[in-house]
Amino acid sequence: MARGRASRRWALRSPRSPPPYLTTRSRSTGTRLTEPGLIGMRMREVPAQDRPRERLLGRGAEALSDRELLALLLGAGLAGQDAVELAGRLIARHGGLHALSRVPAHELAAGLPGVGPAKAARVAAAFQLGRRVAVQQAPGPRRISDSSDLAAVASPLLRGLRHERAVLVTCDGAGAVLRASVLTDGASDRTLVPVRDTLARVLALGGAAFGVAHNHPTGRLTPSDADRLTTSRLAAGAQAVGLRFLDHVVVTDSGWRRVPPD
C-alpha cells in the first residue's frame, strides 16, 4: 500500500451503504481518524450515485452532510482538493457552520485558497436566504403585551449577526403588530437608534405605539449608558408626538434584556 503523510484505506461497503469513508492514521500522534466524504478520490472517479448533487436529487438535501451541502454551493475545489474537502476546511476555519453563517462575504473570500469572491458571494447569499425564511416563518406573537413579546418579534431579525442592528416594531393602539422592520444596520458612525427618524417612520405607517430592539454582537446583555439614554429619548419623543412607547430591549443569540431609561 502506498504511504504518504498518513496511511489510507477505503472501508468496504455494500451497494446500499453510505458513501466511502476514508480512514487515516496520523504519523505524528498515531490517532486513527475516520471521516465520511469523498476525500481521496477525484469527483469524476466517484460513482454517480454517491456524488453530492446526485444524492441530493435522489434522496433529498437531508441526506447530505453540512460540508457536502456547502460543496454544492462552492461548485468546485482546486488542484488536489475537491469541493467537499474545501468545504470542510472552510467550516473548520471559521469554527463551525453557525459561526460561518455570520461571516461577511468579503471575509469568506480572504485567506483560503480556492474560495474567491464568486464562491464567497454564493455562500453568503444562501445563508441570508435562510435567515429571511426564518424571519417569515417565525411564530412570534402578533400582539405586544410586554417586553418578552417585543423581544420575540424582533429577535429573528437580530440573531446571528456580527454587526449592530436596530429593529422597529410598529403597532396599532391595541398593540397588534403592524410591521417589524430594520431601522438601522451597522451604525458604527452614527446613532444606532435615531429618535426623529424612528418617530417619523411610526407615524408614516399609521402606528399608534412602537417598541425598539437592538443586538449586541458581543453577546453581552448588559445595556450600555448609551442604550439607557436612547430609551429616555425614545420615551420623551413618543410623548411629544402622541405615540405610546412600548419598550426598548437588547437581544443576543442567547437571550434578551430590557433597557431601562437612564
Side-chain angles (χ1 to χ4, degrees):
M1 179 181 296
R3 294 181 178 272
R5 290 176 63 86
S7 59
R8 304 181 175 185
R9 67 175 178 80
W10 290 100
L12 296 177
R13 61 191 182 91
S14 68
R16 293 181 177 273
S17 64
Y21 281 71
L22 179 64
T23 303
T24 65
R25 185 181 296 276
S26 168
R27 296 182 66 182
S28 61
T29 65
T31 304
R32 187 174 182 178
L33 306 172
T34 304
E35 49 183 77
L38 304 173
I39 301 174
M41 296 179 71
R42 294 179 179 178
M43 194 57 64
R44 65 173 175 267
E45 298 173 344
V46 176
Q49 69 272 17
D50 288 335
R51 297 172 188 169
R53 182 178 62 188
E54 282 70 19
R55 289 174 55 228
L56 185 147
L57 292 172
R59 298 171 55 189
E62 297 80 5
L64 273 62
S65 66
D66 291 345
R67 66 179 186 172
E68 287 173 323
L69 290 170
L70 183 58
L72 290 177
L73 292 172
L74 296 176
L78 67 164
Q81 187 176 92
D82 66 24
V84 176
E85 186 173 6
L86 179 60
R89 289 186 61 199
L90 186 60
I91 292 172
R93 176 184 177 84
H94 293 284
L97 194 64
H98 180 264
L100 177 64
S101 72
R102 303 176 64 182
V103 180
H106 69 274
E107 290 187 24
L108 290 175
L112 186 62
V115 181
K119 292 178 180 178
R122 287 198 296 270
V123 172
F127 282 127
Q128 180 60 31
L129 283 173
R131 280 192 286 269
R132 293 185 182 185
V133 169
V135 169
Q136 293 174 6
Q137 294 182 338
R142 303 314 301 168
R143 187 179 301 276
I144 306 300
S145 58
D146 55 30
S147 302
S148 63
D149 290 340
L150 175 61
V153 170
S155 62
L157 290 167
L158 293 170
R159 287 179 173 156
L161 299 177
R162 294 179 63 184
H163 62 274
E164 289 195 6
R165 169 181 285 180
V167 168
L168 171 65
V169 179
T170 304
C171 302
D172 65 14
V177 177
L178 299 177
R179 182 177 298 180
S181 58
V182 175
L183 185 60
T184 58
D185 231 338
S188 59
D189 59 346
R190 62 185 186 277
T191 304
L192 183 63
V193 183
V195 175
R196 180 176 298 179
D197 292 348
T198 301
L199 300 175
R201 186 176 298 191
V202 175
L203 293 171
L205 290 171
F210 72 96
V212 170
H214 75 276
N215 67 328
H216 282 177
T218 61
R220 290 173 57 90
L221 281 170
T222 304
S224 66
D225 292 341
D227 293 338
R228 291 191 289 272
L229 179 59
T230 295
T231 300
S232 297
R233 289 177 173 174
L234 287 169
Q239 185 177 13
V241 298
L243 295 173
R244 183 161 62 97
F245 175 56
L246 299 173
D247 211 345
H248 178 200
V249 297
V250 171
V251 175
T252 70
D253 287 354
S254 60
W256 66 273
R257 182 172 295 177
R258 184 173 179 271
V259 182
D262 63 352

